[in-house]
Amino acid sequence: MGVKKTNSAKVLNDSLYMSLLEKMLLIRIFEERAAQMYGLRKIGGFCHLYIGEEAVATGSIAAIDLKKDYVVTAYRDHGHALACGMDPKVLMAELFGKITGCSHGKGGSMHFFDTEKHFLGGNGIVGAQIPVATGVAFSQHYKETGGVTLVYFGDGAIHQGAFHESLNMAKIWNLPIVYICENNQWGMGTFWKKVSAVEDFYKMGAAYDIPGMQADGMDVLDVYEKTAKAVDIAKNGQPVLLEARTYRYKGHSMSDPAKYRTREELEAYKKQDPIGRLKTLMEEKNLIDDKAFDALHKKLKKIVDAAVEFAEKSEEPAIHTIYEDIYADKEAIWQL
């Protein structure tokens, strides 16, 4: 666990501290179990884990109102789905390719989705979710819902044309959207400074007269505060670009041994572990001790164990369902 303290100076209520800790810990346990199940070949296809990056999804989504706000992300979507409140059972079932999964077992790791939770994916194409989210924000603006959209993408996607076209349109139309670059510093196996003319990605918003911010993506409280500020700006008709500097502990996907980086680099970031940093702060505030933390870990492990059991016992999709869930019909509930 990390020992570095949070950079946040803001005092939050005690229940929010506990909520953030519980959510990050649930994501960590879920992801560790997903890795284990992948190794046992219970999970097929691609699988991109979120271990190390928990503070970004948890802190930012805690700063919005999912009754009217929306979340759109890319293929490393497990953490965002859990942060939006999706059921670990249907998520694990989706990883297992079972009919009880959130995409009926046909989407897998990259296509978590829940319209009722206002979580619109989970998208498999690099950068493609950025214009999709811009369209969601356009709908919110056009219908004057008062909501905002958060869209997540990595440092490998920020150089895609779709990113730049989206920011241009968002500025022209004054859309309520926060573009969040989860800069985990490695675009697959390429260090981000080797492929970018700009090292601080938040500065790229200036090209479109969009304000940029930078958050410590290993500090859930800093992410929470910066996102809350960005959301306030966005809801007043000014899109925002937020860069969260973070780090993934695992390879790009389960098939990546991550030999392009040193053990020393990985261990240095583990000393900034987002769960450990928040736990240390809460211990100083007498909000938690080792006994209470262990009890919380045990409770969440049971939830993930139950998710695995649910996935194991669920049926695979029947052959006749192969042509279902392809086109939306008039009953589609995802229309904003």
Side-chain angles (χ1 to χ4, degrees):
M1 288 296 181
V3 293
K4 183 178 178 180
K5 293 186 177 180
T6 175
N7 295 321
S8 174
K10 189 174 182 179
V11 177
L12 305 175
N13 65 64
D14 294 351
S15 62
L16 181 57
Y17 285 119
M18 185 57 73
S19 174
L20 295 171
L21 180 67
E22 182 167 345
K23 194 73 76 175
M24 287 198 294
L25 194 54
L26 174 62
I27 294 171
R28 178 69 58 87
I29 296 170
F30 183 94
E31 292 292 68
E32 290 174 342
R33 200 63 189 277
Q36 181 186 20
M37 292 298 104
Y38 194 92
L40 294 173
R41 299 186 178 183
K42 299 287 185 179
I43 299 171
F46 291 104
C47 185
H48 306 82
L49 300 179
Y50 201 60
I51 298 175
E53 301 187 44
E54 295 90 347
V56 182
T58 302
S60 55
I61 292 171
I64 61 174
D65 179 3
L66 284 170
K67 292 184 177 65
K68 59 182 178 181
D69 300 331
Y70 283 86
V71 170
V72 186
T73 189
Y75 45 79
R76 199 180 305 279
D77 58 352
H78 305 178
H80 307 79
L82 289 166
C84 284
M86 288 186 69
D87 187 341
K89 288 183 178 177
V90 300
L91 298 181
M92 192 63 78
E94 186 60 38
L95 292 179
F96 276 54
K98 299 298 182 69
I99 191 68
T100 52
C102 58
S103 296
H104 298 167
K106 302 173 185 175
S109 171
M110 297 192 283
H111 297 287
F112 287 177
F113 203 91
D114 191 327
T115 54
E116 293 184 359
K117 300 290 186 184
H118 283 201
F119 178 66
L120 305 183
N123 294 271
I125 300 174
V126 175
Q129 77 280 10
I130 303 173
V132 170
T134 303
V136 174
F138 177 83
S139 175
Q140 292 171 308
H141 175 68
Y142 186 75
K143 296 184 177 180
E144 300 181 342
T145 67
V148 68
T149 297
L150 302 185
V151 58
Y152 302 81
F153 50 90
D155 45 284
I158 201 167
H159 302 297
Q160 294 276 2
F163 166 80
H164 297 276
E165 293 176 50
S166 296
L167 263 66
N168 187 57
M169 287 192 291
K171 175 60 182 179
I172 290 171
W173 293 332
N174 302 316
L175 301 184
I177 185 167
V178 180
Y179 296 94
I180 301 178
C181 178
E182 296 184 277
N183 181 5
N184 66 23
Q185 309 185 40
W186 290 95
M188 295 189 75
T190 303
F191 191 51
W192 101 97
K193 291 184 179 180
K194 289 185 176 180
V195 294
S196 180
V198 178
E199 292 189 0
D200 292 316
F201 289 145
Y202 73 95
K203 295 179 180 177
M204 296 171 75
Y208 305 97
D209 197 22
I210 288 176
M213 301 179 186
Q214 192 174 52
D216 181 350
M218 305 298 282
D219 182 348
V220 68
L221 300 182
D222 193 47
V223 174
Y224 174 82
E225 292 171 16
K226 298 286 174 52
T227 305
K229 184 177 180 180
V231 166
D232 283 343
I233 296 171
K235 288 188 174 180
N236 284 294
Q238 174 64 275
V240 180
L241 173 61
L242 174 62
E243 177 192 5
R245 194 72 63 83
T246 184
Y247 199 80
R248 56 172 160 77
Y249 296 173
K250 299 293 185 181
H252 172 73
S253 69
M254 287 300 295
S255 61
D256 173 17
K259 292 182 178 179
Y260 41 78
R261 61 186 182 186
T262 65
R263 181 181 296 276
E264 289 76 17
E265 178 182 301
L266 175 60
E267 293 305 316
Y269 276 99
K270 285 186 175 180
K271 291 179 180 177
Q272 304 178 41
D273 186 86
I275 297 172
R277 290 173 74 173
L278 182 58
K279 177 174 178 281
T280 298
L281 176 71
M282 291 176 66
E283 288 172 340
E284 292 174 352
K285 292 178 174 294
N286 293 319
L287 296 176
I288 199 168
D289 55 22
D290 285 341
K291 183 178 180 181
F293 183 82
D294 290 344
L296 176 62
H297 189 284
K298 187 176 181 180
K299 182 186 81 169
L300 297 175
K301 183 176 180 299
K302 282 185 177 179
I303 292 173
V304 175
D305 287 345
V308 171
E309 183 178 2
F310 175 79
E312 289 269 26
K313 292 181 177 177
S314 295
E315 299 290 333
E316 294 184 351
I319 191 66
H320 68 79
T321 67
I322 194 170
Y323 296 114
E324 297 177 359
D325 308 313
I326 297 174
Y327 299 109
D329 58 27
K330 62 182 180 181
E331 302 296 328
I333 61 171
W334 48 262
Q335 298 180 50
L336 304 178

